[in-house]
Amino acid sequence: MRSPEPTALPLLLTHGWPGSVLEFENVLGPLSDPVAHGGSASDAFHVVVPALPGFGFSDRPRERGWHPARTARAWAELMTVLGYERFGAHGGDWGSFVSTELARLVPKRVAGLHLTMPIASPLPGDRTLPDPAEQRMLEPKKRTHNR
């Protein structure tokens, strides 16, 4: 959805699983035309919302291997074809994996990355020098069974 604002930043939104592009239906207007929704023209985006291959309204891929990195490469190509050299990226749920890979693949093209399911783990140093509270968080949780 192109913004009426010519200087709007392109923004690529990637949905999660088992969702679809409809996850973003209510934000398309405010993101692409913030003035019409009480906002500022400087907050406008040209919004691109592709369907994950095999999810939502997308056909099942003909071949296997549509993992996050491959999908991210397809998204980078899509943005090139649309004429967007630099853009923001958002991902939620499975889309956060794709958007993270996109930022790794073409970091100079991704102006900003927003995730609603961030992917993180402790750094190696965090495991060697944790304070007592951190140590408790790193310990495996004991499972209990109710009988």
Side-chain angles (χ1 to χ4, degrees):
M1 178 175 271
R2 288 204 48 89
S3 173
E5 304 300 330
T7 60
L9 177 70
L11 177 61
L12 179 64
L13 305 176
T14 304
H15 64 83
W17 176 88
S20 75
V21 296
L22 292 179
E23 291 179 19
F24 303 112
E25 182 178 24
N26 293 331
V27 298
L28 294 176
L31 287 172
S32 64
D33 192 2
V35 174
H37 294 85
S40 170
S42 63
D43 295 328
F45 295 94
H46 299 302
V47 186
V48 178
V49 188
L52 286 169
F55 297 90
F57 298 103
S58 175
D59 286 338
R60 184 181 187 134
R62 292 182 186 162
E63 67 276 339
R64 299 178 75 121
W66 278 93
H67 47 74
R70 182 173 180 183
T71 305
R73 287 191 297 274
W75 278 194
E77 178 64 21
L78 170 66
M79 295 306 274
T80 298
V81 168
L82 293 174
Y84 299 136
E85 182 57 33
R86 193 154 163 78
F87 51 89
H90 162 78
D93 190 70
W94 192 246
S96 10
F97 291 93
V98 173
S99 296
T100 299
E101 287 301 315
L102 181 64
R104 289 181 191 174
L105 178 67
V106 291
K108 291 181 179 175
R109 294 185 66 192
V110 176
L113 177 64
H114 179 266
L115 305 172
T116 53
M117 187 176 96
I119 306 149
S121 66
L123 297 171
D126 295 333
R127 293 187 181 276
T128 59
L129 300 171
D131 66 32
E134 292 169 330
Q135 182 61 44
R136 286 190 299 277
M137 288 187 281
L138 292 171
E139 291 172 0
K141 303 293 183 220
K142 293 182 180 174
R143 300 184 87 176
T144 59
H145 298 282
N146 294 332
R147 294 184 194 218

